[in-house]
Amino acid sequence: MALSFENEIEIIEVMEGFLINTRPPEEIRDQLDLSYKIENQSIIIFEIRPKWNNAKETIECKIAKATYIHKDTTWALFWYMSDMKWHSYKPHPKVKNLKEFIKIIQEDQHGCFW
C-alpha cells in the first residue's frame, strides 16, 4: 500500500529540511552529495558520488531507510550493511515520526550510517 497524501507532505517537509541542513557545500556536490527517494512505503537516504573507475558516471550509496508501518503508525528503521542488505537498526528499530528518524541518523551514535 502506498503512502497517503498527508504522509507524503510530511515526508517532503522533513526530508527537505534534512537536506538543507546536511548536504555538503555546493562546491563539492559534484564529488559528494546527499538525497532521498520515496519507494512505496519507504524513504531511502543515499549519497551520490562518482563511480570509482569512471568519474563521468555516478552511483548511489544507500545509507538509511525508514518504512512506514500502517498497523501501528510507526516507522521501522534500517541501515545498509556491507553485505548489501538492509538490517534493522537494533538500538532504535522503530520511531513514532520522521523527525526522530532524522535525529537518529544525524547523531549516529553507533557509527552505522556515516
Side-chain angles (χ1 to χ4, degrees), residues 75-109:
W75 292 88
L77 273 59
F78 301 90
W79 63 295
Y80 200 70
M81 286 182 62
S82 60
D83 65 0
M84 311 285 270
K85 294 179 183 176
W86 291 108
H87 294 266
S88 178
Y89 184 64
K90 299 285 187 208
H92 298 281
K94 291 183 181 180
V95 294
K96 293 178 183 167
N97 58 56
L98 287 177
K99 290 181 182 176
E100 288 181 53
F101 168 58
I102 296 304
K103 183 179 179 195
I104 289 169
I105 291 169
Q106 289 177 322
E107 290 175 354
D108 196 15
Q109 292 180 353

Side-chain angles (χ1 to χ4, degrees), residues 18-60:
F18 166 71
L19 288 180
I20 288 168
N21 294 320
T22 311
R23 283 179 81 186
E26 258 186 79
E27 310 84 65
I28 67 164
R29 288 184 187 163
D30 61 336
Q31 294 300 308
L32 175 65
D33 204 354
L34 192 63
S35 192
Y36 73 96
K37 58 186 164 187
I38 301 169
E39 289 184 357
N40 299 318
Q41 294 176 205
S42 297
I43 302 164
I44 300 172
I45 298 174
F46 58 94
E47 289 178 340
I48 304 165
R49 49 177 72 231
K51 193 172 180 182
W52 71 274
N53 61 352
N54 184 354
K56 294 178 183 174
E57 289 183 47
T58 60
I59 58 171
E60 295 178 357

Side-chain angles (χ1 to χ4, degrees), residues 66-82:
T67 300
Y68 188 69
I69 303 169
H70 287 278
K71 181 177 72 174
D72 55 1
T73 62
T74 60
W75 292 88
L77 273 59
F78 301 90
W79 63 295
Y80 200 70
M81 286 182 62
S82 60

